[in-house]
Amino acid sequence: MKLKNKVCYVAGGTGKVGKGIVNEFLNEGACVIVSSRFKEKLENLERIFNSEKLFLICENVGSEEGAEKIKNYILEKFNKIDVVVASIGSWWSGKKIIDLDLKTYEEVMFQRLTTHFICAKTFLKYMVEVNRGVYTLIGGFHAQIPLKEAGIISIAGAGEIMLTKVLYEELKNYNIRINEVLLPPVGQKINENDIGKFLAYLCSDEAYMINGQIINLYGD
């Protein structure tokens, strides 16, 4: 029970990878909070797990107002937040960078990078106040491999890596662990439950020594 009595917020917990994380966090004894803009996704998650330790809130972590509401909901209910996992962002492909219109560029960058900024800013401010916590960003192989006709995903992913590094440098004097996990393409080498098991370990007290790392799960 690596996460027994821990209060864990999983941003993006209704996605395929997110569900694997939620599953393993519940297995390890955590109280798990998941948010989504879409009520039907939350209802589906509730049907899948049917756990008294799963708590759902219909809010958008991609807006400053929504992120604050999620944080306040958790603190009002549990009086603490121990762990945040930001498994945010969906896939996009279809055009070369030189053919990409500005609207699509801004939308993808907002979803893939700006939302990470909003989530990190909101929850890490709380962790600084209490001087403790574990914050983990979920990225992908695309952050280190330039992709043809999906280059904006690679650009946003590279920005997420730098966001992680900057957050670590700025907050390394606090009792806060900040790491990023880079995942392989969906269905390759490692499945979502294996990812969930690794995240449960990484976010537990057992992994106290792992901080400021970009952890590559997709190999060379």
Side-chain angles (χ1 to χ4, degrees), residues 41-58:
K41 289 187 176 182
L42 296 173
E43 290 172 345
N44 181 56
L45 200 69
E46 188 172 33
R47 284 192 295 270
I48 291 171
F49 293 110
N50 190 28
S51 171
E52 61 183 13
K53 289 194 171 185
L54 178 63
F55 301 85
L56 308 173
I57 176 170
C58 192

Side-chain angles (χ1 to χ4, degrees), residues 106-173:
E106 290 176 339
E107 288 175 350
V108 175
M109 287 296 286
F110 188 93
Q111 183 188 69
R112 301 285 316 195
L113 184 56
T114 305
T115 299
H116 270 290
F117 158 73
I118 293 170
C119 187
K121 175 184 175 181
T122 301
F123 289 93
L124 283 169
K125 274 191 173 182
Y126 161 77
M127 290 180 178
V128 165
E129 290 173 4
V130 299
N131 194 28
R132 62 174 177 79
V134 178
Y135 194 99
T136 305
L137 299 87
I138 305 296
F141 71 101
H142 52 270
Q144 296 180 323
I145 299 174
L147 300 179
K148 295 179 180 179
E149 298 186 353
I152 186 59
I153 294 290
S154 294
I155 294 168
E160 186 182 333
I161 287 178
M162 188 53 68
L163 174 63
T164 303
K165 291 181 176 181
V166 171
L167 289 170
Y168 169 73
E169 286 298 324
E170 292 182 341
L171 304 179
K172 63 184 178 182
N173 293 327

